[in-house]
Amino acid sequence: MKIVVAGTGYVGLVTAVCLTEVGHTVTCVDIDENKIKMLKEGKSPIFEPGLEEIMLKNKDMLTYTTNSKEAYKNADVIFIGVGTPEKRDGSANLKYVYGVAEEIAESLEKDCVVVVKSTVPIGTNDKVEKLIKNKVKKGIKVEIVSNPEFLSQGTAVRDTLHAQRIVLGVPTKIAEKTMREVYDEFNIPYVITDRPSAEMIKYASNDFLALKISYINEIANLCEIVGANVEDVAKGMGMDSRIGNKFLNAGIGYGGSCFPKDTKALHWLANFYDYELKTIKAAIEINANQKLKLIKKARKYYETFENLNIAVLGLTFKPNTDDLREAPSLDNIPILLEDGANIKVYDPVGEKNYKKIYPNELKYCKSIEETLKDTDICFIFTEWDFVKNIDISEFERLMKKPIIIDGRNCYKIEDVKKYNVIYESIGRKTINNI
Ligand code: UDX
């Protein structure tokens, strides 16, 4: 079976590499020559634990190329795993998906199953089908399958190899049979349905998780007002198996490449059909406010941040990734800079991408100690292990004024209480021992 994957981002590359784990040989296509060059050298262009190891182990089963036409022409199955970024109006930009679909149609010289893995609005697979069928050479049969992914960055390899379900929106039994040949070896339960339902499963799942986070964030905000502890509240809720204990960590809002984009895209789609998705609208609004919560808390101590020395721990949207998309740090740091603060940051993995946005405005530190030294306040935007493992006494020892504004509840209140610090977190009591 000749499998080709279009796009070597998180979705495409992880899919391709995991397919080799069950014995398939896969050709990865990308228009970015630098990425292909890196891949050929055995290096992953994205930071994803475990990915490079499998890439190297199965290198004989992986080919990388920018010559898409050549790759597509004799393929049995082509996965489309290119980006669907957000447009200014909140809708999904499908130009890359349609671009690949057109190229596939022009290149194919035999029957093929085209699998849309990118997250696309409901109805897109049907449009891809029309587009390909209009352009493909006469006599060639193409089937379009919707097969959304559910991988999280940082655990993408595990999430793919041990997924909880494989969703297949299939137009025919023949297409289903081909997809089973691709996936049977994974031994993961299937959800077989039509294409619009498969597309909807993806959005409904992501938006539900985003909603769950926004819900616990609202509860956290109320906990602060009434003097309750959101961690205990979440624990108590989560022990009810109907609710579940996952995605109940209160914080400064969800970021990343999926939740912000997918909530807006579904809301936009509903609006397009004159339907208002009130729950998702609320989740979007709550998240936008939540992202700025730390600044509000910090203003209790300093009206302005002008000339203050500020420490920032964590830049990425979550730990174990170098991805900055929709990271709360990107909402907060511009405000601190606008006020005229001197900012030291520490995030060894996120630093490289951050430097592309802020090459000179921030001081990139090499250690926690260097970051905290002589600062007036410290913001925590990401719960990296290196942050969670800091001995709290270090804040007291190193900072000029140990005010810690923690957006990810990295420390236990009981532990913090022992030190002479001010500690603000999310949905829990403020500790003020100064
Ligand atoms: C998410 C989905 O989990 C995945 O299934 C989908 O395919 C893509 O989107 P990802 O964006 O990689 O994956 O990260 P995830 O771990 O889900 O976290 C998303 C955001 O939510 C992060 O900013 C994280 O900090 C935040 N989050 C998550 C919380 O604030 N609280 C939680 O309890 C969980």
Side-chain angles (χ1 to χ4, degrees):
M1 180 175 255
K2 187 172 184 306
I3 300 183
V4 177
V5 177
T8 59
Y10 286 96
V11 174
L13 186 60
V14 172
T15 303
V17 171
C18 289
L19 284 170
T20 62
E21 275 294 85
V22 293
H24 294 297
T25 51
V26 183
T27 303
C28 300
V29 174
D30 206 293
I31 50 169
D32 186 332
E33 297 199 358
N34 283 334
K35 275 192 182 173
I36 294 297
K37 188 168 165 271
M38 270 183 92
L39 287 161
K40 282 184 175 166
E41 288 163 1
K43 290 189 207 116
S44 165
I46 51 169
F47 175 85
E48 192 56 52
L51 186 65
E52 222 168 69
E53 283 84 340
I54 308 182
M55 265 173 64
L56 289 175
K57 178 165 73 82
N58 299 346
K59 63 177 185 311
D60 295 341
M61 298 149 97
L62 283 159
T63 318
Y64 307 102
T65 181
T66 50
N67 190 345
S68 44
K69 289 210 157 85
E70 191 57 32
Y72 297 151
K73 72 177 186 193
N74 292 316
D76 296 302
V77 177
I78 304 173
F79 283 90
I80 301 181
V82 293
T84 52
E86 184 185 315
K87 285 203 226 168
R88 278 184 183 276
D89 63 1
S91 64
N93 188 341
L94 296 169
K95 70 175 179 187
Y96 303 108
V97 171
Y98 292 144
V100 171
E102 253 175 62
E103 251 205 317
I104 292 173
E106 286 160 8
S107 315
L108 277 180
E109 292 185 359
K110 65 184 277 291
D111 295 353
C112 180
V113 173
V114 173
V115 187
V116 179
K117 232 186 192 324
S118 309
T119 301
V120 290
I122 296 93
T124 305
N125 274 263
D126 290 355
K127 288 185 189 149
V128 168
E129 180 177 82
K130 261 198 202 131
L131 201 154
I132 292 186
K133 287 195 169 161
N134 278 341
K135 286 213 160 172
V136 77
K137 293 184 192 84
K138 277 221 168 74
I140 294 177
K141 203 163 176 261
V142 185
E143 304 246 40
I144 315 297
V145 171
S146 166
N147 171 219
E149 50 73 30
F150 298 93
L151 55 85
S152 293
Q153 286 171 229
T155 53
V157 172
R158 194 188 65 203
D159 292 345
T160 305
L161 292 175
H162 307 287
Q164 293 174 13
R165 76 290 210 194
I166 291 173
V167 174
L168 296 176
V170 289
T172 62
K173 280 276 166 208
I174 302 171
E176 181 185 333
K177 188 170 165 272
T178 306
M179 293 314 293
R180 282 182 185 269
E181 276 169 42
V182 173
Y183 281 128
D184 269 357
E185 283 293 313
F186 283 95
N187 233 342
I188 292 166
Y190 289 107
V191 178
I192 309 279
T193 181
D194 52 54
R195 290 194 302 230
S197 307
E199 291 168 325
M200 184 58 109
I201 288 171
K202 168 69 187 192
Y203 275 104
S205 302
N206 268 3
D207 287 15
F208 182 78
L209 292 172
L211 190 58
K212 198 170 177 189
I213 297 169
S214 283
Y215 179 74
I216 199 66
N217 283 340
E218 278 225 290
I219 294 294
N221 296 344
L222 192 57
C223 281
E224 284 175 20
I225 298 166
V226 300
N229 180 325
V230 75
E231 270 174 353
D232 294 345
V233 172
K235 188 176 169 197
M237 289 167 63
M239 285 166 89
D240 183 332
S241 61
R242 292 171 302 176
I243 297 173
N245 59 9
K246 308 254 165 58
F247 280 71
L248 282 180
N249 294 322
I252 38 168
Y254 57 77
S257 62
C258 290
F259 292 167
K261 169 172 82 78
D262 295 349
T263 41
K264 286 184 208 151
L266 196 65
H267 185 253
W268 185 92
L269 186 89
N271 260 342
F272 181 78
Y273 292 111
D274 284 332
Y275 186 79
E276 168 116 89
L277 271 179
K278 293 204 174 79
T279 47
I280 303 307
K281 187 177 177 214
I284 296 168
E285 271 174 30
I286 293 161
N287 203 56
N289 288 333
Q290 202 69 13
K291 280 184 160 182
L292 295 174
K293 242 190 109 103
L294 293 195
I295 293 277
K296 261 198 202 150
K297 283 178 182 275
R299 294 245 191 244
K300 285 205 297 206
Y301 305 97
Y302 299 109
E303 222 171 275
T304 164
F305 303 109
E306 196 178 356
N307 292 329
L308 289 186
N309 294 327
I310 293 183
V312 167
L313 299 175
L315 298 170
T316 54
F317 83 91
K318 68 171 194 178
N320 300 319
T321 177
D322 62 351
D323 202 331
L324 301 176
R325 282 177 284 181
E326 303 279 343
S329 70
L330 289 173
D331 296 274
N332 288 277
I333 284 182
I335 299 173
L336 300 173
L337 282 173
E338 198 176 43
D339 259 20
N342 310 311
I343 307 175
K344 294 196 273 178
V345 301
Y346 183 65
D347 187 331
V349 178
E351 174 185 300
K352 195 170 147 235
N353 285 335
Y354 231 79
K355 279 182 180 162
K356 292 180 198 159
I357 308 169
Y358 292 112
N360 307 311
E361 299 83 343
L362 311 171
K363 182 170 174 9
Y364 295 91
C365 295
K366 293 279 157 261
S367 68
I368 305 257
E369 173 147 9
E370 187 192 354
T371 318
L372 293 180
K373 192 137 187 50
D374 294 330
T375 49
D376 300 287
I377 190 162
C378 171
F379 288 92
I380 298 174
F381 293 125
T382 324
E383 69 278 32
W384 283 95
D385 277 346
F386 67 75
V387 181
K388 291 198 284 188
N389 294 336
I390 298 174
D391 191 325
I392 301 161
S393 65
E394 292 292 87
F395 290 101
E396 196 185 325
R397 183 174 74 85
L398 294 163
M399 292 177 71
K400 196 158 72 189
K401 197 153 186 216
I403 303 178
I404 310 158
I405 313 282
D406 178 1
R408 298 292 179 189
N409 291 356
C410 289
Y411 312 109
K412 288 202 181 85
I413 291 289
E414 289 311 305
D415 293 343
V416 180
K417 270 187 183 160
K418 297 174 200 149
Y419 299 92
N420 295 323
V421 296
I422 290 177
Y423 181 66
E424 294 269 356
S425 55
I426 306 291
R428 307 185 300 178
K429 281 194 184 116
T430 301
I431 307 290
N432 190 340
N433 286 344
I434 295 185

